[in-house]
Amino acid sequence: QFVPVMCKSQILIIIIITLKGRKEAQGVRKRGARAWVQSFEEIPHTGKYGWVNLMKFWRQGYFRQLHKHMEGTFNALGPIYREHVGTQKTVNIILPSDIAELFQSEGRLPQRMTLKPWATHREIRQHSKGIFLKNGEEWRSDRVLLNKEVLMSSAVQRFIPLLDEVARDFCKMLQKKVEREGIGQKGKRSLTVDPSPDLFRFALEAICNVLYGERIGLFSSSPSLESQKFIWAVEQMLATTPPLLYLPHQLLLHIGASLWTQHATAWDNIFSHADARIQKCYRRLSSFQGQGSKAEAAGGQYPGVLGQLMEKGQLSLDLIKANITELMAGGVDTTAVPLQFAFFELGRNPEVQEKVRQQVRTSWALADGDPLVALQGAPLLRGIIKEVLRLYPVGITVNRMPVKDIILQNYRVPAGTTVSVCLYPMGRSSDVFDDPMRFDPGRWSSGKGGQRISGFRSLAFGFGARQCVGRRIAENEMQLLLMHVSDSRHEKVETRRRIISSTVISNSPLQVKGLQSFTLVKVADINMLQ
């Protein structure tokens, strides 16, 4: 009734606003607009029926290519989608702005999805649960105590020398192998080796030195068969976990399904090996009772995380065992796999390698032999680790359960929903990173030339209060090995031949000259992340 008194331009404005409203009603939204929020059920999804989706996962091999499935789904549905597979329901996201919203909603007691197969194993074997499997106040009280021993700067200063010792010995071991088995003239020998076994042994030797304050001898000519069995058990446990997350594992347990049996046996072997190490260390440290602190009685040497926890007596022995076992199990793949990819990328990016080498040499010259000072003066080492974990994350999701309703991409996500940050597609998204397929450690630098990347983009170790409790051990362990490799007078990594498929990196020799020289071969089957 007001149209007759309006001019044509006013009528045109009304028409434009009406059409815009219709587009929003059809689900076409401007990013960041929050005037109108859609319901949880309207979030794009991959199918409503969980068991139908589970069969699809089995048929199409998504359990072995979950990272690729996620990437393809984000490309098809946008930056947020729902997924219901078997018993598992999640909302998946990749944009840092949404991750920031999730972080702000985690509250004082952040909740993460419990890995039920792991929890069930603890329950049926009557093992205590470590912080990885806990939520609530029980988690917080244990976590605060562990933070003091593995995350705080004072703890890092204590265990850096132990990691540095292992990294130095690893390089010496490789050099002896080249001298003994290599071909060519003395001083210019070369050797082709598969890096995977050696790097897995390095990772286990390093984490054990930090946890127990003693070496286990994995660099000898005949390393312990028990230690190799432990590494196999960790690999088996990790391989059987993904499908069990989506299946009714209690039913599998009841019928004695082979998948569950393999998973439980792997954990049994992990606990058995860790228990033997813990008991040995316990007897050694107990012999120092009455001689002052365990560190003083041990000649002033750091007694390891286990010794520190035992001396303070704030956690029960059962809880110490549970957390030490989880740290030991999580400290192998977490570092061995990224190191293989670090060698791979340095091999095919010689200009990056040379920059790192020059920075490391300058830093060492100013560090007066202190490895911690040397690391602080070589930020490109941190950039390499971040860049490798961006492109090849060991764990492909970080999840939280918000304690209140939150709005993500203009959709309402109810409290208690499992929200997963999908690391692999985020790391390779052009919406998140400039030129994402380029290996550029300098992008993480905040100095001149750096891109000053904002928060919530480097999440391989999680975020907030529930970030990986062992991240400082892992980060420093990897950086120290790369530093010693780069510091060699003649050492150089070269990619001589590379064959990449959509599922594996196979037969990828990386020639490293300097230990006099050796070639790392077969960067293959590493979580199939390429």
Side-chain angles (χ1 to χ4, degrees):
Q1 60 181 344
F2 298 106
V3 171
V5 298
M6 290 182 177
C7 67
K8 290 183 180 180
S9 62
Q10 289 173 313
I11 295 174
L12 180 61
I13 291 172
I14 292 174
I15 292 172
I16 292 173
I17 292 174
T18 302
L19 289 175
K20 181 180 178 183
R22 287 177 181 173
K23 283 189 176 182
E24 290 192 349
Q26 295 169 359
V28 179
R29 307 177 310 284
K30 291 182 67 176
R31 184 178 297 173
R34 296 198 172 182
W36 179 70
V37 177
Q38 291 184 286
S39 69
F40 178 78
E41 289 72 21
E42 293 175 286
I43 297 176
H45 58 82
T46 58
K48 295 181 179 180
Y49 305 105
W51 299 111
V52 173
N53 293 336
L54 179 62
M55 292 302 297
K56 181 180 178 181
F57 261 58
W58 278 110
R59 286 197 309 267
Q60 301 191 12
Y62 286 161
F63 289 123
R64 290 181 57 83
Q65 292 284 304
L66 191 56
H67 58 291
K68 288 292 186 182
H69 162 71
M70 291 175 175
E71 185 176 44
T73 306
F74 280 117
N75 289 337
L77 300 182
I80 183 172
Y81 70 90
R82 285 189 293 132
E83 190 145 63
H84 183 189
V85 180
T87 59
Q88 196 69 256
K89 296 180 180 180
T90 61
V91 170
N92 295 342
I93 59 175
I94 58 170
L95 294 182
S97 57
D98 293 331
I99 301 168
E101 291 283 350
L102 181 62
F103 171 69
Q104 293 172 6
S105 73
E106 66 176 8
R108 176 176 172 271
L109 301 172
Q111 291 193 16
R112 57 175 298 159
M113 177 185 71
T114 299
L115 295 181
K116 293 182 179 178
W118 297 16
T120 299
H121 173 268
R122 308 299 190 273
E123 292 161 6
I124 63 176
R125 297 292 193 265
Q126 297 183 335
H127 292 311
S128 295
K129 296 175 183 177
I131 57 170
F132 192 79
L133 297 174
K134 289 182 176 180
N135 282 308
E137 289 290 352
E138 187 181 20
W139 162 81
R140 183 175 181 81
S141 61
D142 292 357
R143 177 69 192 240
V144 168
L145 297 175
L146 286 171
N147 283 353
K148 296 176 182 178
E149 305 306 330
V150 293
L151 272 180
M152 294 181 67
S153 58
S154 57
V156 174
Q157 292 174 7
R158 288 194 294 267
F159 63 66
I160 278 283
L162 278 70
L163 294 174
D164 186 60
E165 174 191 337
V166 177
R168 288 176 181 272
D169 287 352
F170 179 81
C171 290
K172 292 177 183 177
M173 178 201 69
L174 289 178
Q175 185 167 1
K176 289 179 180 178
K177 183 180 290 190
V178 172
E179 293 170 351
R180 184 178 61 252
E181 304 173 18
I183 59 175
Q185 298 178 356
K186 187 176 181 180
K188 296 182 180 180
R189 295 183 184 275
S190 64
L191 178 66
T192 298
V193 296
D194 179 350
S196 182
D198 286 334
L199 288 174
F200 270 77
R201 284 194 289 270
F202 162 76
L204 183 55
E205 182 83 15
I207 189 64
C208 285
N209 204 22
V210 170
L211 295 180
Y212 308 125
E214 64 177 4
R215 299 289 294 272
I216 61 177
L218 287 178
F219 298 161
S220 66
S221 57
S222 55
S224 165
L225 180 59
E226 289 302 313
S227 296
Q228 185 58 56
K229 288 181 178 178
F230 176 83
I231 294 173
W232 291 336
V234 171
E235 292 175 344
Q236 181 78 347
M237 178 271 292
L238 294 174
T240 52
T241 294
L244 285 173
L245 292 176
Y246 303 96
L247 294 167
H249 56 279
Q250 291 284 5
L251 174 61
L252 299 180
L253 171 63
H254 180 71
I255 66 175
S258 61
L259 181 64
W260 171 257
T261 301
Q262 292 170 16
H263 184 76
T265 301
W267 269 121
D268 289 342
N269 290 332
I270 291 169
F271 267 85
S272 176
H273 184 87
D275 185 61
R277 298 286 176 200
I278 291 169
Q279 291 299 328
K280 180 181 177 182
C281 187
Y282 177 75
R283 290 191 297 270
R284 176 171 59 87
L285 294 172
S286 296
S287 67
F288 297 142
Q289 287 184 353
Q291 303 178 39
S293 75
K294 291 180 174 59
E296 292 172 351
Q301 295 181 351
Y302 174 56
V305 175
L306 177 63
Q308 291 286 109
L309 292 172
M310 288 173 55
E311 183 174 349
K312 293 182 178 179
Q314 296 173 302
L315 284 175
S316 70
L317 189 58
D318 284 343
L319 288 177
I320 291 174
K321 176 182 175 181
N323 285 292
I324 290 292
T325 301
E326 289 182 5
L327 280 167
M328 188 176 174
V332 180
D333 281 64
T334 305
T335 53
V337 171
L339 282 170
Q340 293 178 74
F341 278 117
F343 283 126
F344 175 74
E345 288 293 351
L346 287 172
R348 63 177 184 173
N349 291 277
E351 71 288 351
V352 173
Q353 186 179 162
E354 187 57 32
K355 288 180 182 179
V356 174
R357 186 190 314 281
Q358 294 301 325
Q359 192 177 88
V360 165
R361 288 176 177 173
T362 301
S363 181
W364 261 124
L366 300 174
D368 194 26
D370 187 329
L372 182 57
V373 174
L375 288 180
Q376 292 169 346
L380 275 176
L381 292 172
R382 293 192 295 274
I384 288 173
I385 301 304
K386 286 187 174 184
E387 194 73 341
V388 165
L389 290 173
R390 174 181 73 84
L391 290 167
Y392 313 102
V394 179
I396 58 175
T397 62
V398 174
N399 63 74
R400 292 289 188 274
M401 301 167 68
V403 297
K404 61 182 180 181
D405 289 6
I406 57 175
I407 308 301
L408 300 176
Q409 291 295 308
N410 285 8
Y411 296 105
R412 185 175 302 279
V413 178
T417 303
T418 298
V419 181
S420 292
V421 179
C422 301
L423 302 182
Y424 179 87
M426 181 182 78
R428 295 173 178 238
S429 170
S430 58
D431 291 332
V432 181
F433 293 97
D434 295 336
D435 195 4
M437 298 311 296
R438 179 166 59 96
F439 183 75
D440 179 17
R443 76 169 76 234
W444 300 98
S445 173
S446 59
K448 184 178 180 180
Q451 296 180 16
R452 299 183 183 274
I453 293 178
S454 57
F456 298 102
R457 283 170 169 79
S458 179
L459 299 178
F461 293 104
F463 57 84
R466 289 212 73 146
Q467 64 182 289
C468 174
V469 70
R471 71 175 300 171
R472 299 305 179 204
I473 299 174
E475 289 172 336
N476 285 286
E477 177 186 329
M478 291 186 284
Q479 289 177 49
L480 282 166
L481 183 62
L482 291 175
M483 181 172 69
H484 286 300
V485 168
S486 300
D487 188 47
S488 173
R489 287 182 305 159
H490 307 292
E491 199 164 326
K492 187 176 181 182
V493 182
E494 297 176 351
T495 301
R496 299 193 316 186
R497 183 159 54 95
R498 181 166 50 91
I499 303 173
I500 299 181
S501 71
S502 61
T503 57
V504 297
I505 300 175
S506 61
N507 198 22
S508 305
L510 309 178
Q511 184 159 3
V512 184
K513 299 175 181 176
L515 302 169
Q516 300 164 349
S517 90
F518 67 95
T519 304
L520 300 177
V521 172
K522 195 184 175 185
V523 184
D525 274 331
I526 308 174
N527 287 349
M528 297 167 294
L529 290 177
Q530 181 62 26

